[in-house]
Amino acid sequence: MNNIFSIHTVRFFLLILAQVILFNHINFLGYVNPYLYILFIAFFPVKNNRIIIILLSFLLGLTIDLFSDTGGIHAAASVFIAYIRPVILKSSFGTIYEHQTIKFSSAEFGAKLTYFTLLTVLHHIILFSLEIFSISKIILILQKTLFSSIFTILLSITITIIFSRKTK
Amino acid sequence: MQQIINFIIRNKNFLLFLLLFGISILFTIQSHSYHKSKFINSANFLTGGIYNSVNNISEYFNLKSQNQLLVEENKRLRWLIRNSQITSDSTFIDSLSFSKSYRFYSANIIKNSYALTDNFLTINRGINDSIQQDFGVISSKGIVGIIDKTSANYATVLSILNTTSRISAQLKNTNHFGTLRWDGKSPEFSQLIDIAKIAPVKVGDTIVTSGRSSIFPKGVPVGTIESFQLDDAENYYKLNVKLFNDMTNLEHVYIIENIDAPEINKLINGINE
C-alpha cells in the first residue's frame, strides 16, 4: 500500500514537471504539443476509490493550468476523463474489468491502444474546445485535437513500453 | 431529509465531478475575459520560481542568437545617434526614450508561449521592481504585449498573440488607425482591423503603435502589411500584418511605464462620466 502510494506521488510530480518544462515547449509544426500528464489518470489503480481519482485529476489539471496560464481548461478535461474512465475501461478491456483483476502491464496491446486512444481523444477534444472557446472555429479545434492526439498516443505508447520492462 | 442524504451518498461521484467540472469551467470563462483571472496565473512564487530556475539553464542555449539581436539593436541605436545629431536638434540622445514621460525597465522572459490561442508570457520582474498592470512590453524589434498580473518578483504579460488582446495601431505614413488583434492561427502574423477604406494601404507598408492607448508611446514598430482585404461590410480594411518580432524567440524585453497614464486615464474617465 505504502509502496503504491509513493509510486503515484512521485509519478504525479514527475509528470507535472515534465509537462510544464519539456512537453509544453515542443511546439512541433508550430502548435502540436503532447499532453502526457494524462498517463497519471490512465494508470491510476482501478481498484481505488473513484472520489480520489476525480479529486487528484482536478489537482493535476489545475497545476498544469497554473503553469501555463490557461484558466481551467486542463482541470476540466482531466476531471472529465477521470469521471468517464470506468466506461472507457469497460469498452476497451471488456469483461476482465468487471472482475477488477486488470493489470495494465499484462493487458494485450490492442486493448491498451484502444484505451489510450479513447482517453486521449476525449481529453483533447474538451481541452481544445475550451481553449479556443468558439464554435465558429470548429475546424481549428478538430485539427488541433487530431494532431496532438496522434503525438500524445505515440509518446504514451512508447513510454509505456520503455517503463514496463521493470515490472515483468 | 433521509432521502436527500441518501441521494447525495448514492451520487457522490457524479456530484463531485459536477462541482469540480463547474469550477474549472468558471476559471476558463474568467480567463477568457480581460484582467479577470484571479488565482490561476503563473506569476506566483511557486511557478515563477520553477520557471526562473529552468530559464537560468535554458537561456544559455540561445545565447548566440540573443547576442546577435542585441548587437543589431546596438547598431541601430548607434546609427540613430549619429544621424539624429546631424539632421535635427530636437531629438533625444537616448532613442529608447520617446519623450520624458516614459520610463523603461529591462526584463527577461522566463516562460514563453505561442502555440495556444490565448498566450501569456512570464517575466522576472514584479511589484518589487515597480512593475504594475497595464505597462507596455516591447523587445528590441517591436511590440510584445501588456503586463497583466503581477506578484512580488514576477509578472505575466498578455501577449499580442492572444485573442483577447486589443492594441491601437496605425499606418506609419499616415495617421489612419485601427485595432490590432490576433486570429489565433500563425504566431508570425497579426491582424489590424477597422482601418478606414479611404486610407492609402499598400503591401509592405509599416505598421506602428498609435499612442492613443496611454500604454505604448507612438511609433513602436509592429510589422509590415502582408496582405489586405475589405471586411464584410466593405467599409474598413482588414490587414494581415507580418510582425517584426519573432515571438517564438524572445529573451530580453523592455517594460514601458507611461508616467502620465494615471492623469490621462483620469481625464478620459472624467469625460465619460
Side-chain angles (χ1 to χ4, degrees), chain A residues 17 20-21 24-27 30-33 35 49-52 54-55 58 62-63 65-73 75-77 79-81 83 126 128 130-133 137 140 144, chain B residues 12-14 16-17 20-21 23-25 27-29 31-32 37 39-44 46-48 50-51 54 111-118 120-122 156 163 182-185 187:
Chain A
L17 277 182
V20 297
I21 292 171
N24 271 354
H25 302 283
I26 289 183
N27 294 322
Y31 60 89
V32 185
N33 280 330
Y35 294 97
N49 199 340
R50 277 181 73 189
I51 285 207
I52 295 178
I54 292 178
L55 269 176
F58 180 70
L62 205 65
T63 320
D65 280 326
L66 201 65
F67 274 99
S68 40
D69 295 290
T70 43
I73 62 173
V79 165
F80 183 78
I81 58 164
Y83 179 71
I126 294 186
F128 290 121
L130 287 179
E131 186 205 313
I132 295 165
F133 217 59
K137 289 181 184 160
L140 188 66
K144 277 192 159 188
Chain B
K12 59 182 189 297
N13 287 332
F14 182 67
L16 181 70
F17 162 69
L20 295 180
F21 198 71
I23 294 174
S24 329
I25 298 283
F27 282 146
T28 308
I29 292 170
S31 79
H32 281 281
S37 51
F39 317 106
I40 309 300
N41 64 71
S42 63
N44 59 53
L46 177 74
T47 54
I50 289 179
Y51 276 135
V54 171
K111 179 215 129 196
N112 191 1
S113 136
Y114 50 87
L116 306 171
T117 50
D118 293 317
F120 287 88
L121 317 172
T122 311
T156 58
T163 47
W182 190 53
D183 61 3
K185 284 174 187 154

Side-chain angles (χ1 to χ4, degrees), chain B residues 77-137:
Chain B
L77 295 179
R78 280 183 188 282
W79 184 86
L80 271 177
I81 293 171
R82 290 281 158 248
N83 285 275
S84 59
Q85 277 173 347
I86 300 161
T87 54
S88 154
D89 55 354
S90 63
T91 42
F92 319 103
I93 298 301
D94 178 7
S95 59
L96 263 179
S97 56
F98 290 82
S99 74
K100 282 283 190 303
S101 58
Y102 293 98
R103 199 177 282 155
F104 284 79
Y105 307 88
S106 72
N108 273 19
I109 303 263
I110 57 172
K111 179 215 129 196
N112 191 1
S113 136
Y114 50 87
L116 306 171
T117 50
D118 293 317
N119 293 297
F120 287 88
L121 317 172
T122 311
I123 55 171
N124 63 350
R125 291 277 185 276
I127 295 167
N128 289 353
D129 310 287
S130 49
I131 304 299
Q132 284 164 31
Q133 195 173 67
D134 284 337
F135 285 7
V137 180

